[in-house]
Structure formats: C-alpha cells, structure tokens
Amino acid sequence: MSSVDKNLSVFSTEALPDISQSTFAIVVAEWNEQVTEKLYEGAYQTLLAHGAAPERVLRGNVPGSFELTLGAQWFAERSDVDAVIALGAVIQGETKHNDYINHAVAQGLTHLGLKYGKPVIFGVLTPNTLEQALDRAGGKHGNKGDEAAMTAIKMLGLKNQVRV
Ligand SMILES: Nc1c(NC[C@H](O)[C@H](O)[C@H](O)CO)[nH]c(=O)[nH]c1=O
Ligand SMILES: CC(=O)[C@@H](O)COP(=O)(O)O
C-alpha cells in the first residue's frame, strides 16, 4: 500500500504505553534539510503529544542519510536511551547512489535494533523527486516523522508487554 492510500500521520492510538519516563534519540540527516527538518518537527511533536518529556527527547545531526546508522548506534548503545528514530530523505539522482544509501541504511538500522534490543526506527524517505518528499514531510500524504515517532512509541509498548 502506498502513502498515497494510507496517510502517514493517521494511525490508531489505542493502548499506547506511558512514555513520560522514556528517553528518545532522534538522528537527523542534514542532506535535504528542507525536508528533514519537517520530519524532525513531526516526530518531535508526535512524541510530546503522546506524553514524552521534552528533556527526554535528544537530537543528533549527521551529514547525510548514509551516516544515520553510525549516529543511531552512538545513541542506541547508551543504556539511558530507550528508542532511536533515524530521519532522512534520499532523493533519487542521475545515478544509483541513492539505491546504495537506502539499502545500507535500511540494513544498518535493522541490525542496530536487533543488536541492542530496542526500537531503531527507519524514518527515511526514499522518493524519486523533491515533490514526493515534501508530500510525505507534512504534505498531502502526511509526515513520515509522525509515523516514525508513533512506531517508536508502539514498539516500546510491545517491549513492555513481552519482555520480562
Ligand atoms: N544524495 C543524498 C545523500 N547523499 C550523501 C550520503 O548520505 C552520504 O552523506 C555521503 O555519501 C558520504 O558518506 N544523502 C541524503 O541523505 N540524501 C540524499 O539525497
Ligand atoms: C542520493 C544521492 O546521493 C544523489 O542525490 C546523488 O545524485 P547523483 O546520483 O545524480 O550523483
């Protein structure tokens, strides 16, 4: 299902966990900052709207999406960080560079979540055009940052439910 058919900012909010004592780290790629700053704002506001404390939402910037994995690791390895959200926008260019970045980051972030046993969320847009990116960063298809934040919240709820 495409974001065209499912708005990124529309999700169920039933049975969400108490996140008032949870610490979140948001890692933001500086490439395409006109997009990623919107993703960050969406993620940050979604966390606060559902109970996160402002002082418990950390932020780190990385040059580009390829660096999101290492930036996320530096937060994920901290015992005081409960979840990491990685935000980026990799817009297709003339070459296959975007494919290599996208696959590397998707695999890298997946590995981190498994390694540290905590949510490491893939909040990276991989559009063909800037317009498609903006449509998914607070535009007509919602905000991927909202979705990423809510995903982190729900995964913490699942962790509380299943982990003894
Ligand atoms: N073209 C985009 C990039 N490219 C930069 C890479 O992410 C990386 O910083 C560089 O290859 C050095 O390691 N990054 C994005 O986030 N978005 C792009 O569209
Ligand atoms: C995703 C990228 O790094 C991309 O913007 C680079 O553009 P190009 O493929 O034209 O070199």
Side-chain angles (χ1 to χ4, degrees):
M1 177 181 283
S2 164
S3 300
V4 174
D5 305 308
K6 181 188 179 303
N7 190 285
L8 294 165
S9 300
V10 176
F11 29 69
S12 68
T13 57
E14 297 176 7
L16 294 179
D18 173 10
I19 60 170
S20 61
Q21 301 304 308
S22 300
T23 299
F24 298 85
I26 306 178
V27 190
V28 185
E30 294 173 344
W31 255 83
N32 299 314
E33 64 180 354
Q34 72 270 39
V35 178
T36 61
E37 286 303 319
K38 295 177 184 289
L39 298 180
Y40 171 78
E41 192 62 27
Y44 181 76
Q45 294 302 335
T46 297
L47 291 175
L48 267 55
H50 293 90
E55 64 272 16
R56 289 181 175 268
V57 181
L58 313 177
R59 175 174 173 165
N61 292 349
V62 294
S65 291
F66 188 83
E67 287 74 40
L68 285 171
T69 302
L70 184 53
Q73 171 161 312
W74 287 335
F75 281 112
E77 66 192 11
R78 288 174 44 169
S79 60
D80 64 326
V81 171
D82 298 297
V84 182
I85 298 165
L87 301 175
V90 182
I91 301 176
Q92 184 173 342
E94 293 181 344
T95 71
K96 295 180 180 179
H97 195 218
N98 62 301
D99 289 337
Y100 289 92
I101 295 169
N102 294 335
H103 289 297
V105 176
Q107 292 299 317
L109 296 177
T110 299
H111 173 71
L112 288 185
L114 297 173
K115 179 177 180 178
Y116 293 103
K118 61 183 68 171
V120 178
I121 307 305
F122 182 69
V124 180
L125 293 172
T126 59
N128 298 315
T129 65
L130 176 58
E131 180 183 11
Q132 287 179 352
L134 292 171
D135 286 345
R136 292 157 176 78
K140 62 184 178 182
H141 299 318
N143 192 320
K144 173 68 80 174
D146 298 0
E147 180 202 51
M150 183 53 63
T151 300
I153 294 169
K154 290 185 175 183
M155 288 303 289
L156 287 178
L158 178 62
K159 184 176 183 179
N160 296 340
Q161 175 189 331
V162 303
R163 297 282 296 268
V164 293

